[in-house]
C-alpha cells in the first residue's frame, strides 16, 4: 500500500529509491470504521492522511447547527485540515470516515524530518496542495452557479462511486 502513496507523490516530483525508503519509514498505517474521526473542530491537526481505501468527508457546522459538507476524499487523495496542520491552530471542521477505511499517516514530526531529508519533498507537497486547491475552487464555483439538482448531478459525475459507497454503509 505504501507504493500507492509513493507513486502518487512521484507524479509531482522525482524521488530516488533512497528517498522512497525514507518516506516509507515515516508513515503509519491506520484503519478507520465508519464514523471515526481523523480530526475534529477545536483540536489541532498534527497528521496528514493518504487514503488507501475508503472515503472521508470534511464538514463544518453552520450557524444554524447544520452539517455543511465541503469535500470528500477517496483513494489516492492526501488530506488534512491544512491551516490547522501548518499553523497549529484549532480545526474549523471535521474529517470523518464515511466508510471502512485504510490510510497512511504522516505525523507533523515526520513531516519536519521529510522536509529536511528528502530534497523534493516541499516541491511535491506544494504541487499536490495547489492541484487540490484548484480542483476545489473549480468545483465550488460550479456549485454556487447551479441549482441543487444540477449540483447533485455534477457531484455524481465527479464522484461516481462515493454516493453509493457512503449510502451503502
Amino acid at each position: 500500500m505504501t507504493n500507492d502513496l509513493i507513486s502518487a507523490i512521484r507524479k509531482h516530483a522525482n524521488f530516488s529509491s533512497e528517498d522512497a525508503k525514507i518516506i516509507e519509514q515515516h508513515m503509519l498505517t491506520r484503519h478507520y470504521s465508519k464514523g471515526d474521526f481523523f480530526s475534529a473542530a477545536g483540536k489541532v491537526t498534527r497528521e496528514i492522511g493518504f487514503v488507501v481505501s475508503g472515503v472521508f468527508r470534511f464538514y463544518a457546522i453552520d450557524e444554524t447547527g447544520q452539517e455543511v459538507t465541503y469535500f470528500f476524499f477517496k483513494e489516492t487523495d492526501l488530506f488534512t485540515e491544512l491551516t490547522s496542520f501548518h499553523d497549529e491552530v484549532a480545526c474549523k471542521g471535521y474529517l470523518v470516515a464515511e466508510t471502512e477505511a485504510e490510510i497512511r499517516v504522516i505525523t507533523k514530526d515526520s513531516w519536519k524530518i521529510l522536509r529536511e531529508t528528502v530534497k523534493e519533498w516541499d516541491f511535491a507537497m506544494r504541487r499536490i496542495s495547489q492541484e487540490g486547491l484548484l480542483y476545489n475552487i473549480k468545483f465550488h464555483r460550479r456549485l454556487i452557479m447551479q441549482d441543487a439538482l444540477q449540483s447533485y448531478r455534477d457531484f455524481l459525475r465527479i464522484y461516481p462511486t462515493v454516493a453509493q459507497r457512503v449510502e451503502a454503509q
Side-chain angles (χ1 to χ4, degrees), residues 88-131:
E88 297 186 4
V89 297
C91 292
K92 303 283 188 211
Y94 301 84
L95 275 163
V96 63
E98 290 295 334
T99 65
E100 297 292 317
E102 178 180 336
I103 66 171
R104 300 291 286 167
V105 174
I106 300 171
T107 66
K108 179 82 173 203
D109 291 337
S110 287
W111 183 272
K112 290 176 184 175
I113 291 168
L114 292 170
R115 290 188 75 203
E116 294 169 3
T117 57
V118 177
K119 182 180 177 185
E120 296 289 318
W121 183 257
D122 280 344
F123 178 76
M125 294 302 110
R126 273 194 305 277
R127 296 269 320 263
I128 291 168
S129 295
Q130 288 171 345
E131 186 178 275

Side-chain angles (χ1 to χ4, degrees), residues 24-146:
E24 288 176 22
Q25 291 170 353
H26 288 279
M27 287 188 244
L28 309 168
T29 299
R30 291 226 185 100
H31 298 273
Y32 286 77
S33 296
K34 180 178 180 170
D36 288 349
F37 287 91
F38 179 81
S39 63
K43 298 184 179 180
V44 175
T45 299
R46 299 195 46 79
E47 298 176 330
I48 288 182
F50 173 82
V51 183
V52 175
S53 64
V55 176
F56 282 79
R57 175 174 66 110
F58 179 77
Y59 71 93
I61 306 297
D62 70 10
E63 60 278 350
T64 67
Q66 299 294 313
E67 289 183 9
V68 178
T69 298
Y70 291 95
F71 310 108
F72 284 95
F73 300 96
K74 57 187 179 10
E75 288 81 2
T76 72
D77 287 339
L78 279 166
F79 69 97
T80 193
E81 212 279 18
L82 277 175
T83 303
S84 179
F85 182 81
H86 286 296
D87 298 339
E88 297 186 4
V89 297
C91 292
K92 303 283 188 211
Y94 301 84
L95 275 163
V96 63
E98 290 295 334
T99 65
E100 297 292 317
E102 178 180 336
I103 66 171
R104 300 291 286 167
V105 174
I106 300 171
T107 66
K108 179 82 173 203
D109 291 337
S110 287
W111 183 272
K112 290 176 184 175
I113 291 168
L114 292 170
R115 290 188 75 203
E116 294 169 3
T117 57
V118 177
K119 182 180 177 185
E120 296 289 318
W121 183 257
D122 280 344
F123 178 76
M125 294 302 110
R126 273 194 305 277
R127 296 269 320 263
I128 291 168
S129 295
Q130 288 171 345
E131 186 178 275
L133 180 61
L134 289 173
Y135 174 82
N136 289 323
I137 288 170
K138 289 176 186 176
F139 182 72
H140 282 96
R141 279 188 186 152
R142 279 194 308 271
L143 293 180
I144 291 168
M145 303 302 235
Q146 300 170 341

